[in-house]
Amino acid sequence: CVRHTARAGRGQRASRPGHSAGGVGRRKMCRWPTARLRAPALAFALALLGAAASSPSACPCADPALCRPLSGEMPFEVLVFDVGGTDWKHYDWSKVTTIAAFGAYNPELLCHAHANDVRVVLKGDVPIKDIIDPANRTAWIIDQVNLAKRQFMDGINLDLEEAVEFKSQGYYALTQLVNETTQIFHREIPGSQVKERFKTKSRANH
């Protein structure tokens, strides 16, 4: 299942807290079975967050306001996968809405993107076998949330290239990964973006 954004249109873009964003758009998304993170599991996750919390990182931008996560809905989305280097200096910033940072963390890119009201999100990639166990899955999500906070990012793009069989143990683990990541990120970074892209394969004679 591959998440793909629907048609582009004109309208306002994402904004930092205190700035409005408008416009109505349509988008296609993969739909995975939804389930709320149960209270004990959520309490455990929040306890891990508290234990792992560290002193806030210093804002790398000249304007501290650029270190605030962006929020708000966009009428369309143009997602760019940045793998490092200086190609970002040549992006058409009037069209890009989100950058998935697949390369090394680049604070200069982050500041420039936020100055243009463009989100920068983490790449979320983890072996399926590492998220089967609920405790391991939660710990991985907590690590990603804390990394996003330290780097002043706006969310995460779950991009798992490993294919899973439909209705397999890994399939249901991915379902929980999406649900739990969304709940914890939205709680810890209000307005953050969580997107996913997975591959599934059907079992024989399914």
Side-chain angles (χ1 to χ4, degrees):
C1 181
V2 178
R3 191 266 308 156
H4 181 71
T5 306
R7 67 176 180 85
R10 297 178 60 84
Q12 296 180 345
R13 302 160 65 84
S15 61
R16 288 180 292 278
H19 293 71
S20 62
V24 178
R26 296 178 296 175
R27 61 180 64 178
K28 294 181 180 178
M29 298 179 63
C30 297
R31 295 190 179 277
W32 294 79
T34 57
R36 297 293 297 174
L37 189 59
R38 293 183 179 180
L42 180 57
F44 174 66
L46 294 178
L48 283 178
L49 273 169
S54 57
S55 300
S57 301
C59 176
C61 307
D63 181 359
L66 297 179
C67 283
R68 299 172 187 164
L70 300 181
S71 62
E73 291 295 325
M74 293 170 286
F76 64 95
E77 183 173 24
V78 177
L79 175 63
V80 173
F81 296 91
D82 186 87
V83 295
T86 60
D87 285 350
W88 62 270
K89 294 183 178 181
H90 307 289
Y91 292 162
D92 185 343
W93 293 97
S94 67
K95 295 180 180 178
V96 177
T97 61
T98 303
I99 294 175
F102 281 29
Y105 172 61
N106 186 340
E108 186 180 2
L109 166 60
L110 174 88
C111 298
H112 190 80
H114 280 186
N116 286 276
D117 289 332
V118 173
R119 287 186 172 103
V120 181
V121 299
L122 294 172
K123 175 189 178 182
D125 187 10
V126 59
I128 302 299
K129 63 181 179 62
D130 291 348
I131 60 170
I132 300 295
D133 180 76
N136 289 343
R137 185 170 61 243
T138 299
W140 182 83
I141 297 171
I142 298 307
D143 286 344
Q144 307 315 302
V145 168
N146 286 327
L147 179 60
K149 285 183 173 181
R150 289 196 304 271
Q151 297 181 349
F152 307 100
M153 290 193 172
D154 309 290
I156 187 169
N157 183 279
L158 296 171
D159 187 32
L160 279 66
E161 296 295 332
E162 185 179 353
V164 294
E165 290 187 344
F166 181 65
K167 292 189 177 180
S168 65
Q169 189 179 31
Y171 174 86
Y172 289 112
L174 283 175
T175 299
Q176 290 304 113
L177 177 69
V178 173
N179 292 333
E180 295 169 14
T181 300
T182 300
Q183 290 178 51
I184 294 173
F185 260 81
H186 287 178
R187 183 185 181 98
E188 294 299 311
I189 308 176
S192 57
Q193 183 183 84
V194 178
K195 300 293 183 184
E196 72 281 345
R197 185 176 69 169
F198 304 135
K199 295 179 180 179
T200 60
K201 56 183 179 181
S202 300
R203 289 178 174 172
N205 300 323
H206 174 72

